[in-house]
Amino acid sequence: MASKRSLPEEDFNCPVCFDIFKDPVILLCSHSFCKDCLQKFWREKKSKECPVCRRQSSLDNPPLNLSLRNLCESFLKEKSQRASGGSEVLCSLHGERLKLFCVEDKQPVCLVCQASRKHSGHQFLPIDEAALDYKEQLKAVLKPLQDKLDQFEEVFETCDQTASHIKVQAHQSEKQIKEEFEKLHQFLKDEEEARIRALKEEEQQKSLIMKEKTEEMSKEMSTLSDTITAIEKQMVAEDIIFLQVWTFCVPSSTCTLQKPQGVSGGLIDVAKHLGNLKFRVWEKMKDIVQFTPVVLDPNTAHPQLIISEDLTSFKKPSLTQTRFGWTYFSQTVPDNPERFNFSQCVLGSEGFNSGSHYWDVEVGDNTEWYVGVTTESNQRKLGTLSWERVWRVGYGFHSIGPVHELEQNIQTLRVHLDLDKGQLSFSDPLQNTHLHTFKHTFTEKVLPFFYSLMSSLSILPLKPSVTIEQRRLC
């Protein structure tokens, strides 16, 4: 194996930045790059491929190449020593070694400089002591800078995750939109076919009636035509013969045929098929759609909560066994400012400033849950969430703040928020019983609040209806 001294400098250069490797990482294809260079290359290319061989990488965070990093550090150290040549730095004025540091002028000096008038009365320190003091000062300055850099790196990573999550959200939302519209398209297609089928059936039915009517009239017309022909023949006969048989012709000529009548209601009932067609279809559509007064905001949901596709319910993921024990698996989502990262909470997507609003929540057999409202400005991170600003009822251990602990089990909870009256009421709609009312004047926007430690919660939909209002003319 060749030693590091026998390797040329280009072997220590990153193929991307062409500088000495910094924190080198290695891909499965055996090519190495600076960690930052590789991440920057991937972001610009929007593809995780090797900058050298273009092979796709399956690793989001490739491992550090520790051997290469050690070689680079040794190479830089050796290069620095060769550059200095082991020679000492001399005073540019006197050619003497710089052994002291002038505290007042803040520069290295030699012994001759110390004795000169220029540095008369100045304080001096040995070079190593002065260097140590200033390094300590720089360390004090470096610490907050490093902390700030760590914060930037953390936020940068969150932004990078957010950018990736945006694409995932857009793809999933587009898929769900297409699925929902496909259901609507299918409903309209089925409704169209049903109405055309009803039209065809009426066409066939009334066409059959008209056919039977025309056949019947054809027979009567044929009989009447024969009678007329017979009478006309008798009328041209000789008088004596005519007088002998005319009495037989009279009953036939005065037959009891009724006056022909048209078929009432024989035409297609166009009004039935086309009258208010769009409205009637829309009215029928209410059977396949639902309206939920409150929907959840997945961007606020704790990573352990799985939000349903229609944004009306959430559940906890199944337990996963790790080397530290059993735990809930957390989804990979950005730690954006709106998201809860401590308590298993989620907020409604729409806030309220005024008016009266209500929504029903199915809690089932949940043993630890809270439902209520919180202010929009309430923080959602560990150590910053204020339970003093969460008005709620339920069961649990967060007894701080405006909370009413229920004594009896309920299946469904109704929340009624009347901001104009400054009231937040809770009731059991199944038993028609009042549970609790908070009186508070909210001075900022409030959002529906949901918390559950173990089980799922669901917001129940309302039954849509169509109302026709006739305006009275003055």
Side-chain angles (χ1 to χ4, degrees):
M1 178 178 176
S3 68
K4 60 180 179 292
R5 297 178 182 273
S6 63
L7 295 176
E9 182 172 348
E10 52 267 23
D11 288 349
F12 298 93
N13 290 345
C14 170
V16 176
C17 66
F18 302 105
D19 201 353
I20 303 298
F21 286 105
K22 295 178 181 177
D23 296 327
V25 294
I26 186 169
L27 299 179
L28 295 178
C29 59
S30 300
H31 292 117
S32 296
F33 311 89
C34 298
K35 180 179 179 181
D36 291 341
C37 292
L38 182 61
Q39 295 296 332
K40 181 180 180 182
F41 179 85
W42 282 355
R43 286 196 300 273
E44 292 176 351
K45 293 288 291 184
K46 298 181 180 179
S47 173
K48 292 181 173 61
E49 64 181 27
C50 174
V52 175
C53 65
R54 304 301 178 183
R55 177 180 174 182
Q56 288 289 331
S57 173
S58 60
L59 301 176
D60 291 334
N61 296 300
L64 286 173
N65 190 336
L66 298 178
S67 299
L68 181 57
R69 186 179 68 178
N70 293 336
L71 286 173
C72 290
E73 289 176 353
S74 300
F75 175 79
L76 289 173
K77 184 176 180 181
E78 183 181 9
K79 183 178 179 180
S80 176
Q81 291 175 350
R82 289 199 306 268
S84 63
S87 61
E88 297 176 341
V89 182
L90 303 179
C91 176
S92 59
L93 296 176
H94 308 105
E96 298 290 333
R97 289 179 58 191
L98 299 175
K99 294 184 177 182
L100 301 174
F101 182 81
C102 178
V103 177
E104 281 72 11
D105 293 335
K106 300 189 183 313
Q107 64 179 14
V109 296
C110 66
L111 295 177
V112 178
C113 292
Q114 180 188 22
S116 66
R117 290 192 182 96
K118 180 180 178 181
H119 294 280
S120 178
H122 290 185
Q123 182 182 358
F124 298 92
L125 290 174
I127 288 292
D128 56 347
E129 291 184 13
L132 182 61
D133 289 345
Y134 283 104
K135 285 180 180 179
E136 290 298 327
Q137 293 182 23
L138 286 178
K139 282 183 180 179
V141 175
L142 185 63
K143 181 61 169 63
L145 293 177
Q146 186 62 50
D147 293 341
K148 184 69 69 175
L149 178 60
D150 293 341
Q151 294 173 5
F152 271 100
E153 290 178 346
E154 183 177 348
V155 174
F156 179 86
E157 184 177 354
T158 300
C159 291
D160 194 45
Q161 291 180 352
T162 302
S164 300
H165 195 63
I166 288 173
K167 296 185 181 299
V168 174
Q169 284 183 311
H171 176 73
Q172 291 178 343
S173 298
E174 180 181 353
K175 178 183 177 183
Q176 289 175 230
I177 289 173
K178 289 182 177 179
E179 290 175 353
E180 291 301 317
F181 271 93
E182 182 60 35
K183 293 177 183 177
L184 295 176
H185 294 161
Q186 187 62 46
F187 167 81
L188 293 175
K189 183 178 180 181
D190 294 342
E191 188 67 16
E192 176 189 8
E193 292 176 351
R195 290 180 178 273
I196 291 178
R197 185 165 54 250
L199 175 62
K200 294 295 185 183
E201 289 175 356
E202 183 176 358
E203 178 192 11
Q204 293 175 359
Q205 180 183 5
K206 292 192 172 180
S207 295
L208 179 61
I209 293 174
M210 295 305 298
K211 180 181 179 181
E212 293 174 349
K213 181 67 175 178
T214 54
E215 289 177 352
E216 179 183 349
M217 292 180 65
S218 294
K219 292 179 181 179
E220 292 178 352
M221 289 170 61
S222 179
T223 301
L224 186 58
S225 179
D226 292 342
T227 301
I228 292 172
T229 301
I231 293 175
E232 289 177 343
K233 287 177 64 177
Q234 294 300 327
M235 289 180 67
V236 298
E238 296 181 6
D239 293 344
I240 186 64
I241 297 175
F242 170 74
L243 290 173
Q244 289 176 341
V245 299
W246 78 272
T247 55
F248 297 101
C249 297
V250 171
S252 300
S253 61
T254 58
C255 60
T256 58
L257 286 175
Q258 296 181 356
K259 182 179 179 180
Q261 301 289 333
V263 179
S264 178
L267 296 177
I268 295 291
D269 190 352
V270 177
K272 181 182 73 173
H273 297 287
L274 296 182
N276 294 315
L277 177 60
K278 296 185 181 67
F279 176 82
R280 296 305 176 193
V281 173
W282 174 66
E283 183 182 33
K284 191 174 181 180
M285 190 178 291
K286 72 180 186 297
D287 296 331
I288 68 164
V289 299
Q290 67 179 29
F291 172 76
T292 308
V294 169
V295 294
L296 303 175
D297 182 359
N299 295 336
T300 67
H302 186 278
Q304 290 183 353
L305 299 181
I306 298 178
I307 307 298
S308 64
E309 289 188 350
D310 61 1
L311 308 180
T312 63
S313 65
F314 67 85
K315 63 180 181 179
K316 296 288 289 295
S318 57
L319 286 169
T320 303
Q321 187 174 18
T322 67
R323 59 176 180 169
F324 303 106
W326 290 90
T327 184
Y328 285 107
F329 176 76
S330 294
Q331 303 171 93
T332 303
V333 292
D335 188 22
N336 48 299
E338 300 85 1
R339 189 179 306 280
F340 290 95
N341 69 350
F342 173 60
S343 297
Q344 287 79 0
C345 306
V346 62
L347 299 179
S349 64
E350 182 181 359
F352 307 110
N353 282 317
S354 61
S356 178
H357 314 272
Y358 79 91
W359 55 95
D360 292 345
V361 183
E362 186 177 36
V363 297
D365 298 325
N366 209 330
T367 57
E368 183 170 347
W369 59 270
Y370 288 113
V371 171
V373 299
T374 186
T375 53
E376 185 179 36
S377 62
N378 195 1
Q379 299 299 306
R380 301 151 195 192
K381 301 303 182 185
L382 173 62
T384 61
L385 173 63
S386 173
W387 289 98
E388 296 283 353
R389 298 164 65 186
V390 183
W391 291 260
R392 63 205 186 278
V393 301
Y395 307 98
F397 301 101
H398 298 286
S399 57
I400 303 173
V403 57
H404 177 74
E405 298 286 343
L406 298 177
E407 297 179 356
Q408 71 275 20
N409 292 328
I410 63 173
Q411 294 294 314
T412 304
L413 176 73
R414 173 163 295 173
V415 185
H416 183 196
L417 173 65
D418 193 331
L419 290 167
D420 298 333
K421 294 182 179 180
Q423 291 184 352
L424 176 64
S425 301
F426 299 89
S427 60
D428 183 347
L430 301 181
Q431 301 297 327
N432 196 24
T433 56
H434 174 262
L435 299 174
H436 188 73
T437 296
F438 292 104
K439 294 184 179 295
H440 182 81
T441 301
F442 294 96
T443 58
E444 63 173 298
K445 182 182 291 186
V446 293
L447 295 159
F449 175 90
F450 307 89
Y451 162 82
S452 177
L453 182 64
M454 301 298 294
S455 302
S456 61
L457 292 180
S458 301
I459 306 168
L460 300 178
L462 300 179
K463 180 68 175 177
S465 62
V466 179
T467 302
I468 302 174
E469 179 181 351
Q470 290 185 334
R471 295 186 177 181
R472 181 178 299 174
L473 298 178
C474 298

